[in-house]
Amino acid sequence: MADRGDLGWRVMAAGAAFAGGFVAKKAIAFAWKKSTGKEPPTNPESPEVALSEAIGWVVVMGIGMELARLMATRAAARQWAKGTGELPSHLRTEA
């Protein structure tokens, strides 16, 4: 069973990832609209969306969302380490 520190970290990391993803989605949609002049596709799976546009959107969103999740989790880990004095156990590197 998870100890309290592990549970606290999971809640903090999930919140950070959610917030990072929310901000990233808004920023990516804004950048898409600015660069293409069109709204991002709401349903890339639809045959009514051009294949090139659907692929472009999926690639940009996939990379952007994963980068946001990574950066948010790393920032949360730094804050966790400041507050507790150590990184969560699964983030420590064995030297």
Side-chain angles (χ1 to χ4, degrees), residues 2 10-11 27 36 38 50 52 57 69 71 75 83-86 88-89 91:
R10 287 176 188 246
V11 169
T36 66
K38 299 190 308 187
S52 59
W57 176 248
R69 187 201 62 78
M71 299 306 290
T84 65
E86 60 185 13
S89 60
L91 294 180

Side-chain angles (χ1 to χ4, degrees), residues 1 4 6 25 28 45 55 67 79 81:
M1 181 170 222
R4 291 183 138 238
D6 188 41
K25 186 174 182 181
I28 293 166
E45 295 90 2
I55 291 171
L67 279 172
Q79 290 302 315

Side-chain angles (χ1 to χ4, degrees), residues 2-27:
D3 65 10
R4 291 183 138 238
D6 188 41
L7 181 60
W9 164 248
R10 287 176 188 246
V11 169
M12 184 175 177
F18 177 79
F22 180 80
V23 171
K25 186 174 182 181
K26 296 289 186 186

Side-chain angles (χ1 to χ4, degrees), residues 6-91:
D6 188 41
L7 181 60
W9 164 248
R10 287 176 188 246
V11 169
M12 184 175 177
F18 177 79
F22 180 80
V23 171
K25 186 174 182 181
K26 296 289 186 186
I28 293 166
F30 177 78
W32 180 272
K33 188 173 180 180
K34 282 292 189 186
S35 64
T36 66
K38 299 190 308 187
E39 291 291 327
T42 56
N43 187 3
E45 295 90 2
S46 172
E48 295 175 347
V49 176
L51 183 59
S52 59
E53 183 178 10
I55 291 171
W57 176 248
V58 169
V59 167
V60 168
M61 276 299 283
I63 292 171
M65 293 297 283
E66 187 59 24
L67 279 172
R69 187 201 62 78
L70 173 71
M71 299 306 290
T73 303
R74 289 175 59 99
R78 280 192 301 275
Q79 290 302 315
W80 183 266
K82 277 184 185 178
T84 65
E86 60 185 13
L87 286 171
S89 60
H90 69 283
L91 294 180

